[in-house]
Amino acid sequence: MAVNDGLSIGALARRTGLAVSAIRYYEAQGLIKPWRNNGGQRRFERADLRRLSFVMIAQQFGFTLPQIKQELDRLPDGRTPTKEDWARISQAFRTTLDDRIATLTRLRDDLDGCIGCGCLSLQACALYNPQDRAGEKGQGPRYLMGDPRG
């Protein structure tokens, strides 16, 4: 196959490990944009291999398809992302991941103590959350959401 012939959806599925139906779904979401050859068959650029690989990795990190699409929309169509493109994207994702790691660390460290939910049902709440001070900060587990104690 010549480079300018593009990849068939089957070839793209084999290369990425994705089901054809998943590739069609990502196409419908605007994450990749195939073109049609003279026979009317859907064809994909080789850059779509990297785009789909990025989608799969970003999903494993917990990013949503709209978040992923927002980043991919900044890349020119039909061009393989450059090292600079990936550096910019990874820096944006790194900030989000660092925030998640901090939240998970707080959860792990505070799991056996008060989470600041305002329940006042544990005897320890009188120590951790007297007069339901956490409830004044808003709904949910305030301390695990990053609010300072006290």
Side-chain angles (χ1 to χ4, degrees):
M1 166 174 44
V3 172
N4 61 358
D5 289 341
L7 296 169
S8 69
I9 195 166
L12 193 61
R14 283 188 298 280
R15 294 286 307 274
T16 61
L18 290 168
V20 169
S21 59
I23 294 171
R24 287 190 184 118
Y25 178 75
Y26 292 144
E27 175 188 349
Q29 298 303 306
L31 297 168
I32 53 175
K33 298 174 183 115
W35 47 277
R36 301 280 177 169
N37 67 9
N38 289 338
Q41 296 174 326
R42 179 187 280 118
R43 291 291 186 246
F44 296 87
E45 300 292 337
R46 292 197 176 277
D48 290 328
L49 288 168
R50 284 197 180 185
R51 286 177 180 258
L52 290 175
S53 295
F54 173 73
V55 170
M56 294 184 320
I57 291 167
Q59 283 183 303
Q60 287 180 0
F61 286 132
F63 291 97
T64 65
L65 288 183
Q67 290 171 316
I68 296 166
K69 183 178 184 320
Q70 182 179 10
E71 290 300 326
L72 288 177
D73 282 349
R74 296 179 187 179
L75 300 174
D77 289 338
R79 174 171 69 71
T80 301
T82 64
K83 182 178 179 181
E84 291 78 20
D85 293 329
W86 290 129
R88 181 187 49 74
I89 290 171
S90 68
Q91 184 57 47
F93 277 20
R94 179 180 299 272
T95 301
T96 302
L97 290 172
D98 286 344
D99 291 344
R100 287 184 188 164
I101 290 167
T103 298
L104 288 170
T105 300
R106 276 193 309 277
L107 174 60
R108 182 200 62 211
D109 294 347
D110 294 341
L111 197 55
D112 61 348
C114 177
I115 60 173
C117 65
C119 69
L120 295 175
S121 64
L122 300 174
Q123 282 195 308
C125 281
L127 298 173
Y128 285 111
N129 189 22
Q131 287 81 44
D132 192 20
R133 286 186 299 210
E136 295 170 6
K137 297 177 183 202
Q139 298 175 333
R142 302 313 311 171
Y143 299 150
L144 287 179
M145 294 168 61
D147 290 348
R149 293 183 191 268

